[in-house]
Amino acid sequence: MIPFNKPYLTGNETTYIEDAVSRGKISGNGYYTQKCQHFFEDRFNFKKALLTTSCTDALEMCSMLANIEQGDEVIVPSFTFVSTALAFVRQGAVIKFADSCGDNPNIDANKIEELITQRTKAIVVVHYAGVACNMDSIMALANRYNLIVIEDAAQAICSNYKGKPLGSIGHLSTFSFHETKNIISGEGGLLVINDDRFVDRAEILWEKGTNRAEFFRGNINKYGWVDTGSSFLPSDIIAAFLWAQLENIDTIQKKRLEHWYFYHSELTEWAKSKDIKLMAQPNEETNNGHMFYILCQSQNQRQEIINHLRDNDILAVFHYISLHSSKYYKDKHDGRILENSDKFTERLLRLPMFFELNPAEVTRVLKTFSI
Ligand SMILES: *Cc1c(COP(=O)(O)O)cnc(C)c1O
């Protein structure tokens, strides 16, 4: 069976975990945590990086940092993972769901302004499949209306927009190291703070509302409870695992991109003959090989392709169900129809993508699909 995803281990994960254990400090903010955070800050030009236990937790920290209060409005794409909206809903926000672009699932930057009201506090964008949203117009809009921009860059590590790393553009950003992402630690995430206003408070929320991190730096002689927060920081054992991945980030990225370009070139003719659209080839700087998807003609055709691949021991999977029509949110949604989001819900299909994949096998089977 060719799975949809298979977590890749570089070989050094357990070595570094053993080292973390032997260092005797395995709670958060230890040796490997610091190493990983500095790596992100140096390589991607992030002002401040804090490891978290998940991207979901990092998004919850964004919601707290943005001071979301009951009834505040947050603009979120509908075609995304639950956490992009949930983190703000927990804090009392009303979600204004935005539609995707016609030709890719990213938020349509031209349709955001009409959703802004007196109560709007933040715009959350998702770089779907690691492909950059239109950040120039989103940041310009945010400046005009004094809104906070949060990049949900869960899928977007090593991807850029006009020369800038994704995650370095919004006021706040989040990444995921869930085992389905390019760089993994089982569960894990990262909060990025690019705006000075949020740096000190982020560290406090991260450490259960205490100024403990500052205490450990020796800046104050005792620490105490100064704000809200939670236990958002991972054990140093998780960071040790992550470090083994980060050391190999270039090898991992290179291989995934090879798979991506193989799929794209080998399937172009086939897709044309079946009236199927391949994921558009993004500008090279904004392709990180996170995902390769196709857009089928219909939901039925998608199911037939899924069945055909499954009959040949290959697992291909669809993706999000529009959040505005989810069981939890549909009664709270304002009723607007989001046709592009629904189109991707019904017709998008993701092909297997992981380090040890042989994409030639998937391609060969797809080419035998004959309806
Ligand atoms: C994976 C993902 C998340 C959630 O990440 P976790 O680390 O599992 O919390 C959030 N948003 C997007 C867009 C994702 O792809």
Side-chain angles (χ1 to χ4, degrees):
M1 182 69 148
I2 299 181
F4 168 68
N5 176 62
K6 182 174 175 226
Y8 172 63
L9 301 177
T10 67
N12 279 333
E13 285 81 359
T14 46
T15 312
Y16 292 147
I17 287 174
E18 276 177 28
D19 182 54
V21 171
S22 73
R23 283 170 186 276
K25 185 183 181 299
I26 51 175
S27 59
N29 203 5
Y31 175 78
Y32 283 99
T33 300
Q34 297 280 333
K35 257 174 114 68
C36 292
Q37 291 178 175
H38 288 140
F39 175 92
F40 289 117
E41 288 164 4
D42 294 344
R43 176 163 173 144
F44 300 114
N45 204 21
F46 299 154
K47 187 157 281 170
K48 175 100 186 153
L50 293 175
L51 292 191
T52 58
T53 45
S54 64
C55 179
T56 304
D57 268 1
L59 286 163
E60 286 182 14
M61 289 182 73
C62 292
S63 180
M64 292 177 169
L65 287 167
N67 255 327
I68 300 300
E69 288 164 1
Q70 200 68 35
D72 285 343
E73 292 175 6
V74 178
I75 297 170
V76 178
S78 180
F79 191 77
T80 182
F81 189 63
V82 174
S83 305
T84 319
L86 176 62
F88 299 88
V89 168
R90 289 181 89 239
Q91 195 86 3
V94 172
I95 305 296
K96 285 287 191 176
F97 281 112
D99 204 2
S100 299
C101 301
D103 57 357
N104 78 62
N106 284 346
I107 193 166
D108 185 344
N110 296 321
K111 294 193 194 139
I112 295 178
E113 190 164 13
E114 62 204 50
L115 302 178
I116 296 174
T117 72
Q118 292 293 338
R119 300 228 56 174
T120 308
K121 269 216 174 138
I123 305 171
V124 191
V125 303
V126 177
H127 306 296
Y128 186 78
V131 178
C133 295
N134 183 347
M135 292 310 290
D136 278 350
S137 54
I138 291 164
M139 294 310 291
L141 205 55
N143 284 338
R144 193 153 3 112
Y145 289 94
N146 199 21
L147 306 176
I148 295 168
V149 173
I150 295 146
E151 293 177 73
D152 178 345
Q155 305 173 10
I157 197 157
C158 287
S159 194
N160 296 285
Y161 173 79
K162 299 191 177 175
K164 291 186 202 145
L166 294 185
S168 72
I169 303 166
H171 303 96
L172 299 164
S173 309
T174 64
F175 288 85
S176 173
F177 309 120
H178 185 263
E179 71 167 30
T180 50
K181 306 302 201 272
N182 290 23
I183 300 296
I184 61 174
S185 63
E187 302 278 356
L190 179 74
L191 172 70
V192 174
I193 304 106
N194 295 312
D195 183 322
D196 283 327
R197 281 179 296 171
F198 302 120
V199 171
D200 293 343
R201 186 158 189 242
E203 225 175 33
I204 289 167
L205 301 185
W206 191 55
E207 283 264 32
K208 305 105 185 158
T210 72
N211 48 4
R212 188 158 177 233
E214 208 180 349
F215 169 72
F216 273 118
R217 277 197 297 271
N219 295 350
I220 45 176
N221 58 16
K222 62 176 195 267
Y223 74 86
W225 186 11
V226 295
D227 203 333
T228 183
S230 191
S231 188
F232 288 116
L233 71 179
S235 154
D236 216 45
I237 295 174
I238 299 289
F241 188 113
L242 184 64
W243 181 249
Q245 295 267 313
L246 293 178
E247 270 191 341
N248 288 280
I249 193 167
D250 294 318
T251 317
I252 293 169
Q253 288 303 110
K254 183 164 172 288
K255 180 67 89 186
R256 295 185 74 110
L257 281 166
E258 279 168 22
H259 297 339
W260 197 98
Y261 286 107
F262 183 89
Y263 272 145
H264 195 270
S265 66
E266 292 296 314
L267 289 172
T268 298
E269 285 306 312
W270 169 82
K272 238 183 246 165
S273 72
K274 298 269 180 293
D275 209 10
I276 287 169
K277 287 204 178 73
L278 299 184
M279 174 179 170
Q281 183 158 338
N283 175 338
E284 206 172 295
E285 69 162 351
T286 194
N287 189 352
N288 69 348
H290 175 62
M291 183 195 299
F292 190 89
Y293 66 80
I294 65 177
L295 193 64
C296 303
Q297 286 169 36
S298 64
Q299 199 162 10
N300 280 345
Q301 186 195 44
R302 180 174 75 178
Q303 192 55 50
E304 284 160 2
I305 296 177
I306 290 173
N307 296 347
H308 175 70
L309 289 169
R310 198 192 291 124
D311 290 344
N312 288 276
D313 286 333
I314 296 169
L315 204 63
V317 293
F318 52 83
H319 211 183
Y320 306 126
I321 315 291
S322 294
L323 294 181
H324 73 278
S325 49
S326 63
K327 180 171 180 230
Y328 185 66
Y329 216 84
K330 66 173 188 279
D331 297 335
K332 306 178 187 74
H333 177 61
D334 55 25
R336 281 171 301 113
I337 290 166
L338 304 175
E339 61 174 339
N340 292 327
S341 179
D342 289 341
K343 173 177 78 181
F344 294 114
T345 296
E346 288 169 10
R347 290 161 49 191
L348 184 144
L349 180 65
R350 297 176 292 161
L351 302 184
M353 174 61 87
F354 51 91
F355 188 93
E356 290 158 286
L357 175 71
N358 172 6
E361 183 60 13
V362 182
T363 302
R364 187 185 63 72
V365 170
L366 264 180
K367 285 182 175 173
T368 64
F369 175 72
S370 61
I371 298 174

PDB file of all heavy atoms in Angstrom, residues 54-56 59 80-81 83-84 126 152 154-155 176 178 181 187-188 320, ligand 1:
ATOM      1  N   SER A  54       1.638  22.725  19.597  1.00  0.00           N
ATOM      2  CA  SER A  54       0.972  22.502  18.309  1.00  0.00           C
ATOM      3  C   SER A  54       0.781  23.847  17.630  1.00  0.00           C
ATOM      4  O   SER A  54       0.929  24.902  18.267  1.00  0.00           O
ATOM      5  CB  SER A  54      -0.403  21.847  18.512  1.00  0.00           C
ATOM      6  OG  SER A  54      -1.251  22.726  19.218  1.00  0.00           O
ATOM      7  N   CYS A  55       0.406  23.795  16.363  1.00  0.00           N
ATOM      8  CA  CYS A  55       0.040  25.027  15.652  1.00  0.00           C
ATOM      9  C   CYS A  55      -1.256  25.570  16.233  1.00  0.00           C
ATOM     10  O   CYS A  55      -1.455  26.779  16.333  1.00  0.00           O
ATOM     11  CB  CYS A  55      -0.101  24.718  14.163  1.00  0.00           C
ATOM     12  SG  CYS A  55      -0.559  26.111  13.147  1.00  0.00           S
ATOM     13  N   THR A  56      -2.135  24.662  16.647  1.00  0.00           N
ATOM     14  CA  THR A  56      -3.402  25.077  17.269  1.00  0.00           C
ATOM     15  C   THR A  56      -3.123  25.936  18.505  1.00  0.00           C
ATOM     16  O   THR A  56      -3.729  26.995  18.689  1.00  0.00           O
ATOM     17  CB  THR A  56      -4.221  23.829  17.665  1.00  0.00           C
ATOM     18  OG1 THR A  56      -4.410  23.032  16.492  1.00  0.00           O
ATOM     19  CG2 THR A  56      -5.553  24.200  18.259  1.00  0.00           C
ATOM     20  N   LEU A  59      -1.936  29.292  17.537  1.00  0.00           N
ATOM     21  CA  LEU A  59      -3.058  30.131  17.095  1.00  0.00           C
ATOM     22  C   LEU A  59      -3.850  30.648  18.308  1.00  0.00           C
ATOM     23  O   LEU A  59      -4.317  31.790  18.311  1.00  0.00           O
ATOM     24  CB  LEU A  59      -3.978  29.341  16.153  1.00  0.00           C
ATOM     25  CG  LEU A  59      -3.418  29.123  14.743  1.00  0.00           C
ATOM     26  CD1 LEU A  59      -4.171  28.001  14.019  1.00  0.00           C
ATOM     27  CD2 LEU A  59      -3.487  30.413  13.912  1.00  0.00           C
ATOM     28  N   THR A  80     -10.181  25.709   5.253  1.00  0.00           N
ATOM     29  CA  THR A  80      -8.975  25.554   6.079  1.00  0.00           C
ATOM     30  C   THR A  80      -9.235  24.539   7.164  1.00  0.00           C
ATOM     31  O   THR A  80     -10.347  24.021   7.314  1.00  0.00           O
ATOM     32  CB  THR A  80      -8.535  26.900   6.701  1.00  0.00           C
ATOM     33  OG1 THR A  80      -7.325  26.699   7.470  1.00  0.00           O
ATOM     34  CG2 THR A  80      -9.597  27.460   7.637  1.00  0.00           C
ATOM     35  N   PHE A  81      -8.193  24.266   7.951  1.00  0.00           N
ATOM     36  CA  PHE A  81      -8.319  23.359   9.078  1.00  0.00           C
ATOM     37  C   PHE A  81      -9.092  24.055  10.202  1.00  0.00           C
ATOM     38  O   PHE A  81      -9.044  25.276  10.340  1.00  0.00           O
ATOM     39  CB  PHE A  81      -6.917  22.954   9.560  1.00  0.00           C
ATOM     40  CG  PHE A  81      -6.923  21.856  10.573  1.00  0.00           C
ATOM     41  CD1 PHE A  81      -7.407  20.603  10.243  1.00  0.00           C
ATOM     42  CD2 PHE A  81      -6.465  22.066  11.857  1.00  0.00           C
ATOM     43  CE1 PHE A  81      -7.429  19.578  11.177  1.00  0.00           C
ATOM     44  CE2 PHE A  81      -6.472  21.048  12.794  1.00  0.00           C
ATOM     45  CZ  PHE A  81      -6.960  19.802  12.454  1.00  0.00           C
ATOM     46  N   SER A  83      -8.670  24.513  13.316  1.00  0.00           N
ATOM     47  CA  SER A  83      -7.968  25.337  14.302  1.00  0.00           C
ATOM     48  C   SER A  83      -7.842  26.800  13.899  1.00  0.00           C
ATOM     49  O   SER A  83      -7.786  27.677  14.752  1.00  0.00           O
ATOM     50  CB  SER A  83      -6.558  24.790  14.536  1.00  0.00           C
ATOM     51  OG  SER A  83      -6.621  23.444  14.897  1.00  0.00           O
ATOM     52  N   THR A  84      -7.774  27.069  12.593  1.00  0.00           N
ATOM     53  CA  THR A  84      -7.624  28.445  12.115  1.00  0.00           C
ATOM     54  C   THR A  84      -8.768  29.311  12.647  1.00  0.00           C
ATOM     55  O   THR A  84      -8.578  30.485  12.968  1.00  0.00           O
ATOM     56  CB  THR A  84      -7.614  28.489  10.575  1.00  0.00           C
ATOM     57  OG1 THR A  84      -6.845  27.395  10.071  1.00  0.00           O
ATOM     58  CG2 THR A  84      -7.052  29.785  10.058  1.00  0.00           C
ATOM     59  N   VAL A 126      -4.269  31.739   5.382  1.00  0.00           N
ATOM     60  CA  VAL A 126      -3.663  30.400   5.346  1.00  0.00           C
ATOM     61  C   VAL A 126      -2.951  30.254   4.007  1.00  0.00           C
ATOM     62  O   VAL A 126      -3.573  30.450   2.958  1.00  0.00           O
ATOM     63  CB  VAL A 126      -4.751  29.306   5.469  1.00  0.00           C
ATOM     64  CG1 VAL A 126      -4.140  27.914   5.364  1.00  0.00           C
ATOM     65  CG2 VAL A 126      -5.522  29.458   6.771  1.00  0.00           C
ATOM     66  N   ASP A 152      -1.442  31.817   9.206  1.00  0.00           N
ATOM     67  CA  ASP A 152      -1.425  30.397   9.557  1.00  0.00           C
ATOM     68  C   ASP A 152      -0.545  29.734   8.493  1.00  0.00           C
ATOM     69  O   ASP A 152      -0.992  29.392   7.403  1.00  0.00           O
ATOM     70  CB  ASP A 152      -2.843  29.818   9.557  1.00  0.00           C
ATOM     71  CG  ASP A 152      -2.854  28.321   9.880  1.00  0.00           C
ATOM     72  OD1 ASP A 152      -1.780  27.691   9.820  1.00  0.00           O
ATOM     73  OD2 ASP A 152      -3.938  27.779  10.150  1.00  0.00           O
ATOM     74  N   ALA A 154       1.038  26.922   8.755  1.00  0.00           N
ATOM     75  CA  ALA A 154       1.208  25.520   9.163  1.00  0.00           C
ATOM     76  C   ALA A 154       1.843  24.681   8.059  1.00  0.00           C
ATOM     77  O   ALA A 154       2.634  23.786   8.324  1.00  0.00           O
ATOM     78  CB  ALA A 154      -0.141  24.924   9.553  1.00  0.00           C
ATOM     79  N   GLN A 155       1.484  24.982   6.803  1.00  0.00           N
ATOM     80  CA  GLN A 155       1.953  24.168   5.678  1.00  0.00           C
ATOM     81  C   GLN A 155       3.078  24.853   4.909  1.00  0.00           C
ATOM     82  O   GLN A 155       3.485  24.367   3.863  1.00  0.00           O
ATOM     83  CB  GLN A 155       0.783  23.916   4.708  1.00  0.00           C
ATOM     84  CG  GLN A 155      -0.433  23.296   5.364  1.00  0.00           C
ATOM     85  CD  GLN A 155      -1.637  23.222   4.433  1.00  0.00           C
ATOM     86  OE1 GLN A 155      -1.532  23.463   3.239  1.00  0.00           O
ATOM     87  NE2 GLN A 155      -2.787  22.887   4.989  1.00  0.00           N
ATOM     88  N   SER A 176       3.207  24.407  11.989  1.00  0.00           N
ATOM     89  CA  SER A 176       2.897  23.108  12.595  1.00  0.00           C
ATOM     90  C   SER A 176       3.997  22.102  12.286  1.00  0.00           C
ATOM     91  O   SER A 176       4.537  22.083  11.179  1.00  0.00           O
ATOM     92  CB  SER A 176       1.577  22.578  12.032  1.00  0.00           C
ATOM     93  OG  SER A 176       1.353  21.246  12.492  1.00  0.00           O
ATOM     94  N   HIS A 178       3.218  18.832  13.063  1.00  0.00           N
ATOM     95  CA  HIS A 178       2.430  17.592  13.074  1.00  0.00           C
ATOM     96  C   HIS A 178       3.033  16.625  12.061  1.00  0.00           C
ATOM     97  O   HIS A 178       3.639  17.048  11.071  1.00  0.00           O
ATOM     98  CB  HIS A 178       0.985  17.930  12.694  1.00  0.00           C
ATOM     99  CG  HIS A 178       0.048  16.783  12.782  1.00  0.00           C
ATOM    100  ND1 HIS A 178      -0.287  16.022  11.676  1.00  0.00           N
ATOM    101  CD2 HIS A 178      -0.611  16.253  13.830  1.00  0.00           C
ATOM    102  CE1 HIS A 178      -1.121  15.069  12.050  1.00  0.00           C
ATOM    103  NE2 HIS A 178      -1.347  15.183  13.353  1.00  0.00           N
ATOM    104  N   LYS A 181       3.213  17.210   8.205  1.00  0.00           N
ATOM    105  CA  LYS A 181       3.829  18.386   7.594  1.00  0.00           C
ATOM    106  C   LYS A 181       5.245  18.050   7.073  1.00  0.00           C
ATOM    107  O   LYS A 181       5.719  16.937   7.239  1.00  0.00           O
ATOM    108  CB  LYS A 181       3.884  19.521   8.623  1.00  0.00           C
ATOM    109  CG  LYS A 181       2.523  19.855   9.261  1.00  0.00           C
ATOM    110  CD  LYS A 181       1.465  20.256   8.237  1.00  0.00           C
ATOM    111  CE  LYS A 181       0.305  21.043   8.785  1.00  0.00           C
ATOM    112  NZ  LYS A 181      -0.841  20.290   9.306  1.00  0.00           N
ATOM    113  N   GLU A 187       3.648  15.797  17.302  1.00  0.00           N
ATOM    114  CA  GLU A 187       2.829  16.992  17.467  1.00  0.00           C
ATOM    115  C   GLU A 187       3.805  18.115  17.770  1.00  0.00           C
ATOM    116  O   GLU A 187       4.838  17.888  18.419  1.00  0.00           O
ATOM    117  CB  GLU A 187       1.852  16.854  18.640  1.00  0.00           C
ATOM    118  CG  GLU A 187       0.895  15.668  18.562  1.00  0.00           C
ATOM    119  CD  GLU A 187      -0.334  15.927  17.695  1.00  0.00           C
ATOM    120  OE1 GLU A 187      -0.502  17.065  17.208  1.00  0.00           O
ATOM    121  OE2 GLU A 187      -1.104  14.970  17.496  1.00  0.00           O
ATOM    122  N   GLY A 188       3.506  19.316  17.342  1.00  0.00           N
ATOM    123  CA  GLY A 188       4.411  20.427  17.658  1.00  0.00           C
ATOM    124  C   GLY A 188       4.065  21.642  16.825  1.00  0.00           C
ATOM    125  O   GLY A 188       3.403  21.529  15.796  1.00  0.00           O
ATOM    126  N   TYR A 320     -10.287  19.664   3.173  1.00  0.00           N
ATOM    127  CA  TYR A 320     -11.225  20.289   4.097  1.00  0.00           C
ATOM    128  C   TYR A 320     -12.665  20.301   3.597  1.00  0.00           C
ATOM    129  O   TYR A 320     -12.919  20.391   2.408  1.00  0.00           O
ATOM    130  CB  TYR A 320     -10.794  21.733   4.366  1.00  0.00           C
ATOM    131  CG  TYR A 320      -9.374  21.868   4.836  1.00  0.00           C
ATOM    132  CD1 TYR A 320      -8.481  22.707   4.174  1.00  0.00           C
ATOM    133  CD2 TYR A 320      -8.920  21.160   5.949  1.00  0.00           C
ATOM    134  CE1 TYR A 320      -7.172  22.847   4.617  1.00  0.00           C
ATOM    135  CE2 TYR A 320      -7.612  21.291   6.393  1.00  0.00           C
ATOM    136  CZ  TYR A 320      -6.747  22.138   5.714  1.00  0.00           C
ATOM    137  OH  TYR A 320      -5.453  22.270   6.145  1.00  0.00           O
TER     138      TYR A 320
HETATM  139  C1  LIG B   1      -1.967  21.228  10.238  1.00  0.00           C
HETATM  140  C2  LIG B   1      -2.656  22.533  10.246  1.00  0.00           C
HETATM  141  C3  LIG B   1      -3.060  23.148  11.457  1.00  0.00           C
HETATM  142  C4  LIG B   1      -2.976  22.475  12.790  1.00  0.00           C
HETATM  143  O1  LIG B   1      -1.714  22.116  13.186  1.00  0.00           O
HETATM  144  P1  LIG B   1      -1.513  21.316  14.574  1.00  0.00           P
HETATM  145  O2  LIG B   1      -0.022  21.408  14.786  1.00  0.00           O
HETATM  146  O3  LIG B   1      -1.984  19.926  14.337  1.00  0.00           O
HETATM  147  O4  LIG B   1      -2.279  22.009  15.625  1.00  0.00           O
HETATM  148  C5  LIG B   1      -3.621  24.399  11.393  1.00  0.00           C
HETATM  149  N1  LIG B   1      -3.807  25.040  10.225  1.00  0.00           N
HETATM  150  C6  LIG B   1      -3.456  24.479   9.056  1.00  0.00           C
HETATM  151  C7  LIG B   1      -3.664  25.242   7.794  1.00  0.00           C
HETATM  152  C8  LIG B   1      -2.885  23.201   9.023  1.00  0.00           C
HETATM  153  O5  LIG B   1      -2.560  22.656   7.853  1.00  0.00           O
END
